[in-house]
């Protein structure tokens, strides 16, 4: 009888650990998904913003003194994004922002040779790209399971520029960078939808 009781107790303990292990696994998976989302986000942004000065100079024939001002236009909206959207839920802001970027990038692809549409699309894309702060907010909510996003951010800078360079070289079409960036931006929104799932109390406490 004693051995049966002991076996039953051990089984109960083991069963109790299964949900804890599953919860821990889910939390780690979401932390990894945040890292992947950061990588793809940075890849999308640097796959097209690095090419814009070249587009301004060679395609749109902007005078050099105006190239810097045109390039800064997208960074103004990028920097203002946290101030404008911080009161809203970060998950929804991040997804909506990257859907906006996808539309803006499609406009850049279609209107590459038209100055005003390019400037407008570049400006509005900054609002979407600037929602990257949401990933850090979501990461902070993971508690002890927060992941190192800085390394993935840095990797995304390099991978984005490299992907676009390969695509542009292979296609011999500069605006191909915008098509690549649009695909990556949409992928970021899809990944962000999963990564934005709120952690449970058990996950945060792990």
């Amino acid at each position: 009888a004693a051995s049966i009781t002991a076996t039953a107790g051990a089984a109960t303990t083991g069963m109790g650990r299964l949900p804890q292990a599953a919860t821990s696994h889910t939390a780690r998976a979401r932390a990894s998904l945040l890292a992947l989302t950061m990588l793809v986000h940075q890849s999308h942004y640097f796959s097209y913003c690095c090419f814009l000065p070249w587009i301004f100079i060679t395609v749109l024939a902007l005078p050099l003194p105006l190239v810097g001002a045109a390039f800064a236009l997208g960074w103004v909206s990028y920097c203002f994004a946290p101030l404008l959207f911080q009161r809203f839920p970060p998950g929804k802001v991040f997804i909506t922002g990257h859907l906006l970027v996808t539309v803006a990038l499609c406009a850049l692809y279609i209107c590459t040779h038209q100055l005003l549409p390019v400037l407008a699309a570049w400006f509005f894309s900054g609002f979407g790209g600037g929602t990257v702060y949401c990933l850090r907010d979501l990461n902070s909510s993971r508690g002890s399971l927060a992941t190192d996003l800085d390394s993935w951010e840095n990797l995304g800078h390099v991978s984005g520029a490299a992907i676009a360079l390969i695509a542009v070289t292979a296609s011999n079409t500069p605006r191909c960078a915008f098509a690549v960036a649009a695909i990556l931006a949409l992928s970021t929104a899809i990944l962000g939808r999963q990564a934005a799932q709120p952690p449970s109390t058990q996950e945060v406490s792990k």
Side-chain angles (χ1 to χ4, degrees), residues 146-195:
T147 190
D148 175 22
L149 294 180
D150 291 337
S151 299
W152 294 97
E153 179 177 0
N154 295 334
L155 182 60
H157 296 170
V158 178
S159 64
I163 290 170
L165 182 60
I166 293 170
V168 169
T169 302
S171 65
N172 198 29
T173 306
R175 68 177 186 164
C176 183
F178 300 133
V180 169
I183 293 171
L184 290 172
L186 183 59
S187 300
T188 303
I190 294 170
L191 288 170
R193 185 175 182 275
Q194 297 300 319

Side-chain angles (χ1 to χ4, degrees), residues 6-203:
T7 302
T12 302
T13 303
M15 291 293 290
R17 288 173 180 170
L18 286 176
Q20 295 176 0
T23 298
S24 180
H25 175 75
T26 301
R28 288 188 174 85
R30 286 179 181 169
S32 299
L33 191 56
L34 276 175
L36 177 61
T37 306
M38 174 63 85
L39 172 66
V40 179
H41 161 81
Q42 295 297 339
S43 295
H44 111 263
Y45 197 76
F46 278 80
S47 66
Y48 77 99
C49 77
C50 293
F51 277 88
L52 271 170
W54 189 83
I55 295 289
F56 289 147
I57 295 169
T58 63
V59 177
L60 298 171
L62 272 183
L64 286 179
L66 295 180
V67 171
F71 189 63
L73 193 62
W75 286 96
V76 170
S77 53
Y78 184 99
C79 294
F80 269 96
L83 298 175
L84 293 174
F85 307 133
Q86 208 156 31
R87 56 182 173 167
F88 301 108
K92 292 182 179 179
V93 169
F94 186 79
I95 296 166
T96 304
H98 283 79
L99 293 177
L100 172 64
V101 174
T102 303
V103 173
L105 287 165
C106 290
L108 283 167
Y109 180 81
I110 295 169
C111 305
T112 306
H113 293 82
Q114 302 175 50
L115 177 60
L116 290 181
V118 166
L119 291 177
W122 167 230
F123 177 73
F124 282 108
S125 75
F127 287 119
T131 61
V132 65
Y133 78 89
C134 298
L135 286 184
R136 298 197 178 278
D137 288 352
L138 292 168
N139 193 43
S140 298
S141 71
R142 304 303 180 202
S144 61
L145 285 174
T147 190
D148 175 22
L149 294 180
D150 291 337
S151 299
W152 294 97
E153 179 177 0
N154 295 334
L155 182 60
H157 296 170
V158 178
S159 64
I163 290 170
L165 182 60
I166 293 170
V168 169
T169 302
S171 65
N172 198 29
T173 306
R175 68 177 186 164
C176 183
F178 300 133
V180 169
I183 293 171
L184 290 172
L186 183 59
S187 300
T188 303
I190 294 170
L191 288 170
R193 185 175 182 275
Q194 297 300 319
Q197 296 296 320
S200 65
T201 305
Q202 291 90 341
E203 290 176 12

